[in-house]
Amino acid sequence: MRRDEKFSDNGFEAWGGYMQAKITKLEEQFSSGIGKADNRLTNIFNGISIYVNGFTIPSADELKELMAKHGGVYHTYQRSDDFVIASNLPDTKVKNMSLARVVKPEWITASITANRLLDYKDYLLYRNSKTQPKLNFTHTSRTDSFNVHVNCERKESVKVKETSPSDGYQKGVARDNHSNTLNEPEFQKNQPTKTAADPNFISEFYNNSRLHHISQLGACFKQYVNDLRDESNFEFPARNDLKSRILAIDSVTNHSSAACNHLKTIMHIDMDCFFVSVGLRNKPELRGKPVAVTHSKGGQPRTKRPGVDRATEFNLYKQKQFNKISKATGIAEGFELKTRVDNITDEDDKFGSMSEIASCSYEARAKGVKNGMFMGEALKLCPDLLTIQYDFEGYKEVAYTLYNTISQYTLDIEAVSCDEMYVDCTELLKTLNVSVHDFAFALREEIKNKTGCPCSTGFGGNRLQARLATKQAKPDGQFFLTPDLVDEFMFNINLRDLPGVGRQISQKLESLGHVTCGSLQILSLASLQNHLGNKTGSQLYDQCRGCDAHPLTFHTVRKSVSAEVNYGIRFENNEQCEEFLKQLSAEVHSRMLQFKVMGKCITLKLLVRAKDAPVETAKFMGHGFCDPINKSTTLQNATNDINIITKEVIAICKKQNIDPKELRGIGIQITKLDSISNKQVSGPISKFFKSKAIRPEPQQNKPESFDNVQNVLRTDQRTNTIPSTPKKNKVTQSESKSPILGTSKYNLPKKRGRPSKSVKPEVSTSKNVMTKFLQGESVSHDICVKKEPVKENVPKETCTKIEPKPGLLNLPWEKVRELLRAWFDSGQTPKPWDVDLIVEYLREMVTSKNIDKVYILVNFIKRKITEMKNDNWNHVVNCVVEEVQNAMLAVYGKKLLINDF
């Protein structure tokens, strides 16, 4: 049957049917809305149309806005002449579509940064050749008296990592941070090198050196988890298949009785030698051999550069490290200091390579090679060390597979990096009703089958135990640190293996005679705090016993946006420096648009050549031995205006009065961020706060769902005032206070000093009060309220202007109670942003010492959720209780008494 016979005329036939009419309507909306010529900033993308396929950073909505602002067209439905924007495509799509115009979203953002349309071919998601494009730098010598000659067979390293300016040296490839510090990118051999004085330096660096994306992957997957949680209904049908596979496993492991209980269980999962494992998928002949991922081929010396004095520079670095450790430990001499530069020779020697190793195989590690080690030292330890190049697309592919595999079973995930995460498995294991060992085995097998890469998993009662258990499980294994094993397990753990224990702290502890956790347990809390400070001492006191009160963070909030360049910074005058600051400000601005944030605090980070350091650095075009200078300015209002950022950055730099020839590194960081995201959330509590409708006061009826929450809770959002309350039986102001506290938070000054003896952490509330509260009845007449004298000559109808507080903090106590009741009665699946609102409110109550309110609400939440007997709500009460207890410990040093129901 033909289409026109099966379907009658629907009124859209003149435009080619319903879908064509829909597409036409969407395009007209774009053209008449954000795509209007009046809204354009530039015409960079004039004649360019895009279609976004799948998850991207920036998101589809953000790319739509960027195209509109810069003269392009965004299509909701793909057209034949569209450029397809994608960060990752499944195999089925790759096999069935043309890849000639599939480009990465960086093409859009980089073109905007460069203020011109860049060649899309440099941003193809898939290429016929997997060779990485090289940077065509041009060397600018201050004296122009020599040329740089480099062996064309050898590559120097590209390093994108997090650098501590105070160290003056790189510390390895960053796996997760919000800042990108760029050091010694890959350059084309036998080509002169371009410095930061070139006006196209930043754009060409970011456009051609793809390795800087590695440092963004961690932030990318934190956002990916955020998006997954925002869009999920928290139903996981894939669990049924997982349970079937687990039950089919003929496990040969003897499980302890604790293995199948349902105590708090945190999993730490980490891919083994991630970069190496991905690189060896297509190189099976290298398996079992010592392999390192680096851009250097190693063992091939280069021509020594005039002016380089590695011995002097290395000695300055080692002296600085010695002074830091000496100050931390109180020992001025007699200890051995080992550094990464000890075994590095001159650059014209085969062991002189300062290219860093990003990752190395276990066979290489067995010979002493480590991640972050310089290639020269590694070759001394392992002369037969083989090197492979980076496979950036492979890393992204495997990382997405890892996260997609875990997220089909649970979204209680804290992303750490592209190959590492924590997962709260408590609810998942209870639902599956399987042992930890069988679950881990099935999960690791699934990941290995999908990615071709092994992983290790560790399980424990908290994140610290899980992380240490993973170390025990590696490589390609699993380990469950059950409660009965914790004491014995922790006794032999080296203090250097504890998170947060770096070289200085470990040296300090070694000077006190302590190397293991078991040894440190003999010190009292007061003694540790005396030696290490209150915070570090308290943390180590808990950690050496296997305790960790830090909960997992499922929803990550970006705290900073930054861009740092510590390679190629060589200026001749202030004009060149100022031009570079403009370019770097534009890069930061682009990233702020990408993440939809504004910031109030602008920090300029400078690395200045130290007084005694050689002018030519040991590492080619690196920053060398420097003095760090960090200066900040705080704006009155948050902004992402490129002109304001640029102006402030240049002003800060000028105030330092630094010779531009001495600069070796520059970074810009924006903090104190505010989100400007327009993304709509579907949480019922969040929807309530987004509504600006003012509706009539409700009747006495109890709300049945969140459809009428706005009838129950009303705030005047049109003015920053407290809405006046209708008169009722001439009730005085003091009689209308909170029925629990008997005080008005708007009228009375905030009490200072220690809390009253009547308010204790282990608080006990009247049964009548609790019972009536749970029944929604007023309890004001059962409480003895101390009335405050009413001030005379006060107008009867007064609106006191206050600063509105976010979320629930802006609501009266009784309104919060009704909102929670309606939330539980709504029958909807709890959303993470709603839980965040509740937690934030309770933490504020603890901080303001309203413990009686906290006690009632927490017990009310726990009782209601227990009565619901709905697994979807279990994580809510766990999260609320955990956060409240952490706040109680921080404020009072004691936990809140919570009833069992």
Side-chain angles (χ1 to χ4, degrees):
M1 180 181 294
R2 295 185 305 172
R3 185 183 183 279
D4 56 356
E5 295 175 347
K6 185 175 181 180
F7 300 100
S8 60
D9 186 1
N10 57 15
F12 294 104
E13 302 306 312
W15 292 274
Y18 171 76
M19 285 304 299
Q20 183 58 44
K22 183 176 181 180
I23 293 172
T24 302
K25 181 179 179 180
L26 290 172
E27 292 179 356
E28 290 175 351
Q29 289 175 347
F30 179 86
S31 300
S32 61
I34 63 173
K36 290 176 63 176
D38 295 342
N39 298 330
R40 293 181 187 174
L41 300 177
T42 70
N43 284 309
I44 294 175
F45 301 109
N46 186 32
I48 301 294
S49 62
I50 68 169
Y51 164 75
V52 179
N53 192 320
F55 174 83
T56 59
I57 295 180
S59 66
D61 289 340
E62 293 167 321
L63 290 171
K64 180 179 181 180
E65 185 175 353
L66 291 176
M67 292 298 288
K69 288 183 177 180
H70 297 279
V73 176
Y74 174 93
H75 285 155
T76 305
Y77 296 92
Q78 187 177 355
R79 297 289 188 87
S80 60
D81 56 348
D82 286 345
F83 285 91
V84 178
I85 307 298
S87 295
N88 186 49
L89 292 176
D91 292 339
T92 53
K93 287 187 178 181
V94 173
K95 295 175 181 178
N96 298 319
M97 65 185 293
S98 172
L99 304 176
R101 292 166 68 90
V102 179
V103 296
K104 292 176 288 189
E106 287 81 3
W107 177 47
I108 305 296
T109 55
S111 293
I112 294 173
T113 301
N115 200 29
R116 61 186 177 90
L117 184 63
L118 301 174
D119 189 350
Y120 75 91
K121 294 179 182 178
D122 292 334
Y123 296 87
L124 289 173
L125 185 59
Y126 297 96
R127 300 171 181 266
N128 293 329
S129 172
K130 292 187 177 181
T131 57
Q132 182 179 357
K134 308 298 190 299
L135 294 183
N136 186 18
F137 291 106
T138 308
H139 177 67
T140 301
S141 170
R142 189 164 296 152
T143 62
D144 289 328
S145 60
F146 65 95
N147 293 322
V148 178
H149 299 285
V150 191
N151 190 318
C152 63
E153 292 297 322
R154 182 177 180 274
K155 290 184 181 178
E156 269 296 354
S157 72
V158 177
K159 286 298 151 202
V160 179
K161 51 77 193 160
E162 181 181 9
T163 301
S164 173
S166 62
D167 288 346
Y169 273 81
Q170 303 168 358
K171 292 188 176 181
V173 177
R175 300 168 65 190
D176 178 30
N177 205 342
H178 295 155
S179 65
N180 295 329
T181 303
L182 312 177
N183 290 272
E184 193 177 9
E186 184 179 14
F187 57 91
Q188 183 78 355
K189 297 306 178 264
N190 288 336
Q191 294 287 342
T193 304
K194 182 179 294 183
T195 70
D198 189 283
N200 297 319
F201 178 84
I202 289 183
S203 61
E204 290 192 15
F205 193 99
Y206 281 102
N207 293 341
N208 295 285
S209 181
R210 294 157 56 208
L211 185 56
H212 79 277
H213 294 299
I214 291 178
S215 63
Q216 290 184 318
L217 282 177
C220 166
F221 284 101
K222 290 177 186 291
Q223 184 61 45
Y224 188 48
V225 172
N226 287 354
D227 293 340
L228 288 174
R229 290 179 64 87
D230 288 348
E231 298 166 3
S232 175
N233 59 4
F234 289 85
E235 296 178 358
F236 306 97
R239 289 183 178 182
N240 295 329
D241 177 66
L242 175 61
K243 184 170 184 178
S244 298
R245 286 188 285 114
I246 291 175
L247 295 178
I249 293 175
D250 184 15
S251 178
V252 296
T253 306
N254 294 323
H255 308 320
S256 65
S257 58
C260 295
N261 65 26
H262 302 302
L263 299 175
K264 185 79 169 181
T265 306
I266 304 299
M267 174 178 69
H268 178 248
I269 183 167
D270 191 18
M271 303 298 289
D272 296 331
C273 303
F274 183 55
F275 292 169
V276 173
S277 296
V278 174
L280 294 185
R281 291 187 304 172
N282 299 322
K283 297 179 176 64
E285 70 278 5
L286 298 183
R287 296 187 185 278
K289 298 180 180 180
V291 178
V293 178
T294 176
H295 276 293
S296 171
K297 301 231 179 254
Q300 299 169 351
R302 62 182 297 171
T303 302
K304 188 174 182 179
R305 292 168 288 138
V308 175
D309 187 351
R310 284 192 170 185
T312 298
E313 188 173 326
F314 290 171
N315 285 334
L316 287 171
Y317 169 69
K318 288 190 283 188
Q319 184 61 46
K320 183 174 184 177
Q321 297 302 312
F322 182 90
N323 292 339
K324 289 171 65 176
I325 295 176
S326 178
K327 181 179 179 180
T329 61
I331 301 176
E333 57 184 16
F335 65 88
E336 182 181 3
L337 175 64
K338 295 182 179 180
T339 69
R340 293 199 304 154
V341 298
D342 290 341
N343 298 313
I344 301 299
T345 57
D346 282 334
E347 57 188 332
D348 57 353
D349 184 84
K350 67 178 181 178
F351 298 121
S353 173
M354 294 187 70
S355 295
E356 293 179 51
I357 293 174
S359 180
C360 56
S361 65
Y362 285 102
E363 290 78 10
R365 296 183 188 189
K367 296 186 178 183
V369 181
K370 299 178 180 178
N371 294 350
M373 181 178 284
F374 289 133
M375 191 64 184
E377 181 181 5
L379 287 172
K380 282 187 176 181
L381 297 171
C382 183
D384 57 342
L385 182 64
L386 303 172
T387 62
I388 60 175
Q389 298 297 298
Y390 292 88
D391 180 6
F392 309 113
E393 297 303 328
Y395 306 150
K396 186 181 296 186
E397 173 196 341
V398 172
Y400 271 109
T401 303
L402 170 66
Y403 274 84
N404 290 336
T405 299
I406 303 299
S407 63
Q408 65 183 330
Y409 304 128
T410 181
L411 285 172
D412 292 341
I413 299 171
E414 178 181 316
V416 177
S417 67
C418 58
D419 68 322
E420 179 184 6
M421 70 176 78
Y422 291 97
V423 184
D424 189 337
C425 296
T426 310
E427 182 268 336
L428 173 58
L429 289 170
K430 181 179 180 181
T431 301
L432 295 176
N433 194 27
V434 297
S435 72
V436 170
H437 295 283
D438 288 346
F439 166 75
F441 182 81
L443 188 65
R444 291 195 307 106
E445 283 298 301
E446 180 178 3
I447 292 171
K448 182 183 289 187
N449 291 335
K450 287 182 176 180
T451 66
C453 301
C455 68
S456 297
T457 56
F459 296 82
N462 55 50
R463 62 191 304 148
L464 172 66
Q465 293 178 13
R467 179 173 177 174
L468 295 176
T470 305
K471 287 182 176 290
Q472 184 75 17
K474 283 185 173 290
D476 194 15
Q478 59 195 56
F479 185 80
F480 181 20
L481 183 54
T482 55
D484 57 307
L485 297 177
V486 172
D487 291 342
E488 181 181 354
F489 178 85
M490 293 301 304
F491 194 84
N492 294 316
I493 293 294
N494 194 300
L495 292 171
R496 289 177 179 266
D497 292 334
L498 296 178
V501 177
R503 180 162 53 184
Q504 291 187 43
I505 295 179
S506 62
Q507 289 275 6
K508 177 73 172 180
L509 295 173
E510 287 177 15
S511 70
L512 298 174
H514 301 287
V515 178
T516 65
C517 289
S519 173
L520 197 65
Q521 289 176 12
I522 67 174
L523 294 184
S524 65
L525 174 60
S527 178
L528 270 174
Q529 291 178 327
N530 180 54
H531 288 297
L532 302 173
N534 290 341
K535 183 177 180 180
T536 304
S538 178
Q539 177 179 312
L540 275 175
Y541 183 84
D542 290 336
Q543 285 183 330
C544 71
R545 292 167 171 79
C547 301
D548 186 353
H550 297 89
L552 300 190
T553 302
F554 302 145
H555 190 88
T556 304
V557 178
R558 178 172 289 273
K559 296 183 179 179
S560 67
V561 176
S562 61
E564 301 182 22
V565 179
N566 291 342
Y567 167 82
I569 302 297
R570 302 291 190 274
F571 302 122
E572 292 292 334
N573 51 54
N574 287 321
E575 288 72 22
Q576 293 176 349
C577 178
E578 186 170 322
E579 182 61 31
F580 180 83
L581 290 173
K582 292 178 181 178
Q583 297 178 45
L584 197 60
S585 297
E587 176 64 29
V588 173
H589 170 255
S590 175
R591 297 182 187 187
M592 295 182 76
L593 291 180
Q594 174 183 339
F595 295 113
K596 287 191 175 182
V597 293
M598 300 187 298
K600 293 182 66 175
C601 184
I602 302 174
T603 301
L604 178 64
K605 300 181 178 182
L606 302 175
L607 290 180
V608 183
R609 182 180 70 89
K611 180 181 178 181
D612 299 326
V615 175
E616 291 296 332
T617 54
K619 196 166 187 176
F620 180 70
M621 293 298 285
H623 55 70
F625 187 77
C626 294
D627 295 324
I629 297 177
N630 297 332
K631 297 294 181 180
S632 301
T633 183
T634 301
L635 308 177
Q636 185 173 1
N637 299 309
T639 184
N640 62 0
D641 188 297
I642 186 173
N643 295 321
I644 295 176
I645 295 173
T646 303
K647 178 182 176 181
E648 294 295 335
V649 165
I650 292 177
I652 296 173
C653 189
K654 287 182 176 179
K655 288 181 181 179
Q656 310 314 310
N657 196 27
I658 298 172
D659 184 350
K661 295 180 180 179
E662 303 303 317
L663 287 173
R664 294 294 181 267
I666 298 179
I668 300 173
Q669 182 183 51
I670 312 294
T671 53
K672 296 184 179 180
L673 302 181
D674 290 336
S675 175
I676 57 175
S677 175
N678 295 321
K679 184 173 182 178
Q680 297 293 323
V681 295
S682 57
I685 299 181
S686 303
K687 280 184 177 180
F688 165 74
F689 289 113
K690 284 188 173 291
S691 172
K692 294 185 178 180
I694 306 301
R695 301 188 181 183
E697 284 287 350
Q699 302 299 320
Q700 297 299 321
N701 301 353
K702 185 170 112 176
E704 297 180 357
S705 71
F706 270 91
D707 293 335
N708 57 4
V709 166
Q710 296 179 20
N711 294 330
V712 179
L713 307 175
R714 181 176 67 87
T715 56
D716 192 341
Q717 300 184 13
R718 293 172 296 185
T719 60
N720 293 335
T721 62
I722 305 174
S724 58
T725 305
K727 296 180 181 179
K728 183 177 180 181
N729 300 330
K730 297 183 180 181
V731 177
T732 63
Q733 186 177 10
S734 60
E735 291 174 326
S736 61
K737 300 167 188 170
S738 167
I740 300 300
L741 294 183
T743 59
S744 171
K745 68 176 180 179
Y746 301 119
N747 298 330
L748 297 181
K750 193 174 183 178
K751 294 183 179 181
R752 298 183 178 180
R754 298 177 63 184
S756 170
K757 292 182 179 180
S758 62
V759 181
K760 298 181 181 180
E762 299 291 338
V763 66
S764 177
T765 307
S766 166
K767 181 176 180 181
N768 290 333
V769 174
M770 175 63 96
T771 301
K772 290 189 176 184
F773 165 73
L774 295 178
Q775 295 173 352
E777 300 176 11
S778 172
V779 296
S780 57
H781 299 294
D782 295 331
I783 301 295
C784 180
V785 179
K786 181 180 178 181
K787 299 182 179 180
E788 299 292 332
V790 180
K791 295 182 180 180
E792 297 180 356
N793 301 323
V794 177
K796 294 183 179 180
E797 295 184 1
T798 303
C799 289
T800 305
K801 289 192 175 182
I802 62 169
E803 289 294 329
K805 295 184 178 181
L808 297 176
L809 301 178
N810 195 36
L811 298 180
W813 154 254
E814 62 273 9
K815 300 297 185 183
V816 175
R817 178 185 67 187
E818 297 300 334
L819 178 60
L820 286 176
R821 184 184 306 282
W823 188 34
F824 296 137
D825 293 343
S826 68
Q828 300 183 21
T829 301
K831 299 295 184 181
W833 41 82
D834 290 338
V835 179
D836 291 342
L837 287 172
I838 303 300
V839 167
E840 182 182 9
Y841 176 79
L842 290 171
R843 278 199 297 245
E844 177 66 21
M845 290 297 100
V846 173
T847 303
S848 58
K849 299 181 173 61
N850 292 325
I851 307 303
D852 45 0
K853 287 185 179 180
V854 177
Y855 173 81
I856 292 176
L857 280 184
V858 172
N859 282 285
F860 170 57
I861 292 171
K862 186 173 182 180
R863 175 176 174 176
K864 289 291 291 185
I865 292 178
T866 301
E867 292 173 348
M868 291 164 66
K869 296 181 180 180
N870 188 330
D871 291 340
N872 290 330
W873 285 84
N874 290 338
H875 75 282
V876 175
V877 70
N878 292 335
C879 178
V880 168
V881 170
E882 193 168 31
E883 292 289 348
V884 166
Q885 298 295 27
N886 288 339
M888 290 293 298
L889 289 171
V891 176
Y892 294 98
K894 296 181 180 179
K895 290 187 176 183
L896 183 73
L897 175 64
I898 300 177
N899 297 332
D900 292 328
F901 296 101

